[in-house]
Amino acid sequence: MKKLTLLRHAKSSWDDPVARDFDRPLNDKGKRAAAIMGKFIKRNNLAFDQILASPAVRVIETLEHVEPASGLSFEPQWDRKIYLASSVTLMDVLRGAKPDADHVLMVGHNPGLEDLIFDLVPDDGSSEARGEVEVKYPTAALAEMTLNIDNWSDIKDSCAALDRFTRPRDLDPELGPDYV
């Protein structure tokens, strides 16, 4: 069994006049949400053997706020393929995870992360959390899954159970429901 946690980057600023989408920074609400998710990671004793992350500015800044709040030391493997990737591409990236990594954190973007959950977790009505993802996978939300595989190279559709889905507004009501 492998564990996979997906973290969508926190809320970015559309007001910042950057030339490329890739360079958009977080806004203040996003910084606060990322720190709250870091505290959630700490409270729940989550630890990751490998972190695979998009190198987009908003992902880098998300991790910069999650890391100190989590009490963990992050050494992400930045992978440009994760930036705005499809579910198929994200699965390919995961197939290349370190074989000895039992718990991987992937940090990236929608709709790819959301689609990855839909591909990995069967729609059989057994997961209330999957239904919540179907409604919305907001920024800074964390999805924790158990994969019924022994090796990352074996990842495929319908091999996972969604154990928990946590949104920033679940931890701080001021971060919802207009928080997107």
Side-chain angles (χ1 to χ4, degrees), residues 45-66:
N45 297 311
L46 299 179
F48 312 105
D49 301 311
Q50 186 175 15
I51 299 172
L52 302 171
S54 161
V57 169
R58 57 192 178 273
V59 172
I60 293 168
E61 290 185 359
T62 296
L63 286 173
E64 286 173 349
H65 287 83
V66 169

Side-chain angles (χ1 to χ4, degrees), residues 110-127:
N110 250 5
L113 291 181
E114 182 176 310
D115 291 342
L116 182 60
I117 293 168
F118 297 150
D119 289 343
L120 292 176
V121 179
D123 186 12
D124 58 10
S126 66
S127 173

Side-chain angles (χ1 to χ4, degrees), residues 21-124:
D21 173 75
F22 187 87
D23 297 322
R24 270 192 298 116
L26 296 185
N27 66 20
D28 289 341
K29 206 169 189 179
K31 292 173 185 175
R32 201 166 112 231
I36 285 170
M37 297 312 287
K39 290 176 187 172
F40 174 83
I41 288 168
K42 182 176 187 172
R43 263 195 325 275
N44 289 278
N45 297 311
L46 299 179
F48 312 105
D49 301 311
Q50 186 175 15
I51 299 172
L52 302 171
S54 161
V57 169
R58 57 192 178 273
V59 172
I60 293 168
E61 290 185 359
T62 296
L63 286 173
E64 286 173 349
H65 287 83
V66 169
E67 182 177 20
S70 72
L72 299 173
S73 178
F74 291 166
E75 294 181 23
Q77 179 182 329
W78 306 107
D79 191 332
R80 182 72 185 236
K81 289 181 282 194
I82 297 172
Y83 176 67
L84 303 181
S86 68
S87 174
V88 171
T89 299
L90 294 175
M91 270 200 233
D92 284 342
V93 170
L94 287 165
R95 285 185 186 104
K98 294 188 303 190
D100 62 343
D102 290 323
H103 192 172
V104 169
L105 171 65
M106 178 176 271
V107 190
H109 312 266
N110 250 5
L113 291 181
E114 182 176 310
D115 291 342
L116 182 60
I117 293 168
F118 297 150
D119 289 343
L120 292 176
V121 179
D123 186 12
D124 58 10

